[in-house]
Amino acid sequence: MKLYGSPASPYARKARVLIREKHIPCEFVVEDPWPADSRIPERNPLGKVPVLEIAPGSYLFESPLVVHYLDNLDGESIDPRDAAGYWQSQWWQALGNGIIDAVIARLLETRRPEDKQMPEKIAREEARVRRAVDLGEKTTKGGGFLVGERFTLADLVLGVALQYTDFRYAHDWRSRAPRLARWHAGITRRPSFEETLPPGFVKP
Ligand SMILES: N[C@@H](CCC(=O)N[C@@H](CS)C(=O)NCC(=O)O)C(=O)O
């Protein structure tokens, strides 16, 4: 199995963290989706990473599907099996994926020539992140894990999302969300996180 992605991509990083957590034999192939001659569109018509090659010439794309597939390979999903826990985890994952989407949309806007940037677009994306962090703080019970008593995809996705926020939209979200900050400090100490940090990431 091969995972195509770029080392800075938070979407690909979700899969990379999971591969380490579950010790899945899978080669990480670095492939940048942005250049005009990128070969990613041959594998994913949407032209985005991550892409998972599950058999020669057979590809899965869109990170929630890639993560779902990887997590169910061995019948030992790290997500809760009970319905309540499962949907709670899905809720946290939606929150985390939304934060990643907003941080990326903000980043792309800030990379446009200065005279073409839309400050209201940047503010709108920042407001999404702020509201998501505030709701996360309100919802978390304040322990070591977001759902139940063990590491689940909820911890994985929100952990990656907030570390990507630190990477690309560094700001003090911690003082508004102290319980989430404590949980995040614990989760990101896991080797799966430490070993997949984006290049150039400076810990806050
Ligand atoms: N919804 C997709 C988003 C993936 C995505 O946007 N990946 C970025 C890298 S961080 C990408 O490949 N961008 C290339 C492009 O937008 O052309 C997912 O969850 O996999």
Side-chain angles (χ1 to χ4, degrees):
M1 210 159 42
K2 286 183 186 164
L3 179 76
Y4 294 87
S6 52
S9 166
Y11 301 106
R13 187 169 180 227
K14 291 190 288 172
R16 293 168 62 216
V17 170
L18 187 58
I19 284 165
R20 279 173 174 73
E21 288 285 340
K22 302 197 76 177
H23 309 289
I24 298 169
C26 183
E27 182 189 349
F28 180 50
V29 181
V30 174
E31 185 104 28
D32 187 346
W34 289 102
D37 63 349
S38 169
R39 299 195 56 203
I40 290 298
E42 294 168 23
R43 305 178 175 104
N44 172 7
L46 305 173
K48 298 179 179 186
V49 294
V51 179
L52 186 69
E53 187 177 48
I54 56 173
S58 182
Y59 302 104
L60 290 182
F61 40 83
E62 286 296 304
S63 59
L65 178 59
V66 168
V67 164
H68 189 62
Y69 180 86
L70 289 170
D71 192 31
N72 283 279
L73 269 178
D74 58 0
E76 298 281 334
S77 164
I78 64 168
D79 244 8
R81 313 284 159 77
D82 64 295
Y86 176 81
W87 291 114
Q88 279 174 41
S89 174
Q90 290 291 324
W91 184 92
W92 284 107
Q93 290 175 59
L95 194 75
N97 285 324
I99 290 175
I100 295 175
D101 292 344
V103 171
I104 293 210
R106 177 190 175 279
L107 177 74
L108 294 180
E109 189 63 27
T110 60
R111 284 183 171 172
R112 282 154 52 87
E114 213 163 323
D115 60 327
K116 297 218 166 56
Q117 287 180 22
M118 289 170 58
E120 61 275 25
K121 161 89 177 152
I122 295 171
R124 199 169 168 82
E125 302 306 336
E126 292 180 355
R128 285 189 227 285
V129 175
R130 189 178 61 248
R131 288 192 303 262
V133 167
D134 288 348
L135 185 58
E137 176 69 5
K138 210 166 102 186
T139 310
T140 181
K141 54 193 187 326
F145 303 106
L146 293 174
V147 181
E149 301 306 324
R150 62 182 179 80
F151 182 79
T152 66
L153 291 179
D155 301 298
L156 188 156
V157 174
L158 193 66
V160 166
L162 289 175
Q163 214 160 33
Y164 191 68
T165 305
D166 285 335
F167 184 45
R168 294 301 199 205
Y169 170 35
H171 69 288
D172 179 22
W173 57 268
R174 289 175 173 77
S175 58
R176 273 199 346 270
R179 287 186 299 161
L180 217 51
R182 264 196 308 280
W183 156 82
H184 192 247
I187 287 298
T188 52
R189 271 197 291 272
R190 297 172 79 86
S192 58
F193 276 78
E194 292 278 358
E195 290 163 13
T196 56
L197 284 170
F201 177 75
V202 179
K203 289 185 185 175

